[in-house]
């Protein structure tokens, strides 16, 4: 083989292991060209989505170049939603499902989501998160986890995977070997999971073992340091974790895909190209990129980095070929998975049923429903990069539909810090003579929010407090409502209880 032909083949192999994003609701010309030149996967984000029908047209356009193209999406349902980013998710997330603890319900919600994704032409979902949220101060997982106990997370991970894949969409368990016991957001820095081997085996790994037993198609690596297994390299870049632990010990033979390679935990130290090379060398088969770096130049950079590293011997051609073969094998399997299930875009209301079942109310009998239209104060925390800023959440909007005359204000830390008097002017004064509802999201994790909530409930001991994040036993309020997530479905469930004293009955 001539050197130029060999170089072209290396670039084609390199391109085939990438899972890039792009901008637009139609496929850019460069994406279509790259598919014809070996690109085997793409990933969609909220910026690519207007409706299920529009996404179906987009995926048809993409698959005209390759019928077995892997079209992935980062759709967890719950707080992290792409397919419903403009409206908020009509299905509760993992923590709400774990709170109900009905595995059949979890499977039904995931199957319902899978039907929607399948109708849109999506073949791989980067979900579920099977991290055990054992650290309540975790800034990145929280309600994305099914819960704090490994056994509970394991059974719901398996149910979610079976539900999604029964609808014809491949699941991807994340973030291996477990991102639940960290205190740093890997979008910005390198978290460390400092447990010993026995604790990791008992706490973090069981959900991944359950996912493998349930037939999960893919597993996503986490960008975190796990010193007990590898004191030097984060999991995504560690052969000890990806090959020795995941492949050999756990026995997973499906697709290993990286978390977004541009995240600070790996890219800040190694650069995009360096991180991609190290990930594939360590045992990753596919490199996800494009949540933030979604340009043609990024794909070219990564293609060059992988091909050049192979030419230099830094990455063996055998390992790159193995990764490319596994991607192609997964593409064929996920294509068959979708072909075996009829497209059924008609969705049920199982998400609202689940959100109602997940809602818990604490307070004296007869305190609800509200006796008049309230003033609603929503205290808004910053969100991490996994959660779209454009995704609406809260209780005020659905409550206004049920109690006309409801007023509301949304307050953020920066605004309150600059003008503390706003709390009295915009939160307390408009609630004079009427009910006050205060909506928070992870109040226990945000000092400013806890302080504002304490001020409001001290001035108004009769306030109703709705917590849409992780619940806290110390939450004040005459009545406390826990939704276990901030989805649109959860907001509707809370509004129903506030307005009517009970959730709506299923139709």
């Amino acid at each position: 083989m001539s050197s130029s032909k060999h170089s072209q083949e290396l670039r084609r192999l390199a391109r085939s292991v990438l899972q890039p994003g792009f901008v637009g609701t139609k496929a850019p010309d460069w994406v279509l060209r790259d598919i014809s030149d070996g690109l085997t996967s793409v990933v969609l984000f909220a910026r690519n989505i207007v409706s299920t029908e529009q996404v179906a047209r987009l995926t048809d356009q993409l698959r005209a170049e390759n019928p077995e193209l892997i079209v992935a999406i980062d759709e967890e349902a719950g707080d992290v939603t792409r397919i419903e980013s403009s409206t908020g998710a009509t299905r509760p997330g993992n923590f709400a499902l774990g709170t109900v603890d009905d595995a059949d319900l979890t499977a039904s919600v995931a199957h319902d989501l899978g039907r929607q994704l399948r109708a849109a032409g999506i073949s791989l979902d980067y979900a579920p998160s099977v991290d055990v949220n054992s650290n309540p101060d975790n800034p990145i997982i929280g309600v994305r986890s099914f819960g704090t106990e490994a056994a509970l997370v394991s059974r719901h991970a398996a149910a979610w995977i079976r539900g999604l894949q029964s609808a014809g969409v491949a699941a991807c368990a994340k973030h291996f070997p477990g991102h639940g016991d960290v205190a740093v957001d890997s979008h910005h820095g390198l978290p460390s999971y400092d447990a010993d081997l026995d604790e990791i085996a008992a706490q973090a790994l069981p959900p991944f073992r359950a996912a493998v037993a349930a037939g999960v198609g893919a597993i996503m690596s986490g960008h975190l340091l796990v010193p007990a297994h590898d004191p030097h390299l984060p999991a995504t870049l560690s052969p000890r974790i990806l090959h020795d632990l995941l492949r050999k010990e756990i026995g997973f033979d499906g697709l290993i895909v990286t978390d977004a390679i541009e995240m600070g935990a790996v890219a800040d130290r190694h650069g995009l190209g360096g991180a991609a090379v190290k990930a594939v060398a360590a045992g990753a088969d596919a490199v996800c990129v494009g949540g933030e770096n979604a340009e043609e130049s990024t794909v070219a950079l990564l293609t060059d980095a992988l091909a050049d590293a192979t030419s230099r011997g830094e990455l063996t051609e055998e390992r790159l070929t193995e990764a490319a073969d596994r991607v192609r094998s997964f593409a064929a399997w996920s294509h068959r998975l979708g072909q075996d299930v009829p497209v059924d875009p008609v969705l049920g209301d199982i998400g609202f049923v689940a959100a109602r079942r997940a809602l818990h109310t604490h307070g004296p009998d007869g305190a609800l429903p509200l006796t008049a239209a309230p003033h609603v104060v929503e205290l808004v925390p910053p969100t991490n990069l996994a959660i779209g800023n454009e995704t609406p959440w809260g209780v005020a909007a659905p409550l206004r539909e049920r109690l006309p005359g409801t007023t509301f204000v949304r307050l953020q830390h920066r605004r309150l810090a600059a003008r503390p008097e706003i709390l009295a002017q915009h939160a307390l004064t408009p609630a004079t003579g009427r009910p006050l509802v205060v909506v928070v999201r992870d109040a226990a994790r945000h000092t400013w929010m806890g302080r504002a909530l304490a001020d409001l409930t001290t001035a108004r001991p009769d306030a109703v407090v709705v917590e849409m994040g992780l619940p806290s036993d110390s939450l004040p309020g005459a009545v406390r409502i826990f939704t276990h997530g901030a989805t649109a479905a959860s907001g509707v469930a809370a509004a129903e209880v506030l307005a009517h004293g009970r959730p709506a009955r299923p139709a």
Side-chain angles (χ1 to χ4, degrees):
M1 184 184 297
S2 68
S3 60
S4 63
K5 188 173 182 181
H6 184 245
S7 176
Q8 289 175 4
E9 179 58 25
L10 282 182
R11 290 179 58 78
R12 190 174 183 87
L13 282 173
R15 202 175 285 112
S16 73
V17 305
L18 302 180
Q19 295 194 338
F22 57 88
V23 176
T25 56
K26 296 181 179 180
D29 289 342
W30 69 265
V31 171
L32 301 177
R33 284 196 305 271
D34 279 357
I35 294 171
S36 67
D37 287 337
L39 186 68
T40 311
S41 316
V42 296
V43 56
L44 305 183
F45 293 93
R47 61 182 176 233
N48 305 117
I49 295 167
V50 175
S51 66
T52 300
E53 295 75 20
Q54 168 265 321
V55 178
R57 292 191 295 271
L58 170 59
T59 56
D60 283 346
Q61 182 189 14
L62 291 163
R63 289 209 174 92
E65 303 295 325
N66 176 4
E68 294 187 352
L69 182 77
I70 300 166
V71 180
I73 193 169
D74 185 23
E75 174 59 57
E76 298 179 16
D79 290 22
V80 178
T81 180
R82 312 304 178 203
I83 202 76
E84 296 183 300
S85 64
S86 63
T87 59
T90 54
R91 304 170 188 90
N94 288 356
F95 192 70
L97 294 172
T99 297
V100 178
D101 197 12
D102 178 343
D104 289 341
L105 178 69
T106 294
S108 295
V109 170
H111 182 84
D112 189 60
L113 171 64
R115 289 194 299 166
Q116 184 177 14
L117 298 182
R118 172 75 184 90
I122 289 161
S123 56
L124 169 62
D125 187 8
Y126 294 152
S129 167
V130 304
D131 307 293
V132 180
N133 196 59
S134 49
N135 183 351
D137 292 326
N138 192 319
I140 187 64
I141 301 300
V143 296
R144 299 168 66 192
S145 168
F146 288 108
T148 60
E149 301 295 332
L152 181 144
V153 174
S154 296
R155 63 177 170 267
H156 287 278
W160 207 98
I161 289 162
R162 286 194 297 265
L164 186 78
Q165 294 191 165
S166 70
V169 177
C172 177
K174 61 187 184 185
H175 306 80
F176 189 81
H179 214 299
D181 192 11
V182 302
V184 172
D185 183 346
S186 51
H187 289 91
H188 306 297
L190 179 61
S192 184
Y193 179 22
D194 296 323
D196 62 27
L197 290 175
D198 289 342
E199 185 178 350
I200 293 168
Q203 173 182 271
L205 296 183
F208 290 98
R209 294 185 185 276
V212 172
V216 72
I219 289 180
M220 177 177 282
S221 65
H223 300 330
L224 70 160
L225 197 67
V226 189
H229 282 283
D230 190 330
H232 305 295
L233 292 169
T236 294
L237 312 183
S238 170
R240 296 183 189 178
I241 293 174
L242 297 188
H243 181 265
D244 297 351
L245 179 59
L246 182 53
R247 288 281 187 224
K248 294 181 70 176
E249 181 178 330
I250 293 178
F252 178 63
D253 62 1
L255 186 76
I256 298 177
V257 59
T258 72
D259 205 347
I261 207 69
E262 66 261 57
M263 289 167 64
V266 292
D268 285 354
R269 181 172 180 180
H270 303 285
L272 285 182
V277 169
K278 290 180 180 298
V280 176
D285 305 305
V287 177
C288 172
V289 67
E292 298 168 72
N293 298 68
E295 304 81 16
E296 179 181 7
S297 58
T298 299
V299 177
L301 182 155
L302 295 181
T303 301
D304 288 345
L306 289 164
D308 291 348
T310 306
S311 296
R312 295 193 305 269
E314 181 182 347
L315 171 63
T316 68
E317 188 169 345
E318 179 183 19
R319 170 80 271 269
L320 182 60
T321 300
E322 177 189 47
D325 287 346
R326 193 172 271 114
V327 170
R328 282 192 287 268
S329 176
F330 179 90
W333 172 78
S334 60
H335 177 70
R336 291 194 302 272
L337 187 70
Q339 293 297 303
D340 290 343
V341 177
V343 174
D344 182 8
V346 179
L347 306 176
D349 65 350
I350 189 66
F352 288 97
V353 171
R356 291 168 187 137
R357 289 183 62 185
L359 188 140
H360 291 179
T361 301
H362 301 272
D365 291 341
L368 296 176
L370 299 174
T371 56
H375 183 58
V376 180
V377 180
E378 296 180 340
L379 300 177
V380 182
T383 58
N384 59 62
L385 287 176
I387 299 172
N389 284 326
E390 75 280 357
T391 305
W393 67 277
V395 174
L399 189 55
R400 280 196 301 174
E401 296 175 6
R402 289 157 180 82
L403 286 179
T406 295
T407 56
F408 76 98
V409 64
R410 292 173 69 86
L411 299 175
Q412 297 174 321
H413 181 212
R414 183 170 57 184
R415 189 177 175 198
L416 282 178
R419 294 182 57 200
E421 68 275 11
I422 283 178
L423 200 64
Q425 293 173 353
H426 295 283
L428 292 172
T429 299
T432 302
R434 38 195 307 223
L436 173 65
V437 176
V438 185
V439 182
V440 294
R441 190 172 180 180
D442 290 326
R445 285 195 55 245
H446 300 283
T447 302
W448 72 270
M449 188 182 294
R451 192 163 49 238
L453 178 59
D455 290 345
L456 290 171
T457 54
T458 297
R460 286 290 302 268
D462 63 332
V464 177
V465 178
V466 182
E467 171 60 87
M468 301 194 78
L470 292 175
S472 168
D473 292 337
S474 62
L475 196 75
V479 178
R480 293 166 294 143
I481 299 173
F482 299 102
T483 63
H484 304 99
T487 65
S490 300
V492 166
E496 289 170 348
V497 169
L498 290 165
H500 307 301
R502 63 189 186 284
R505 293 183 181 274

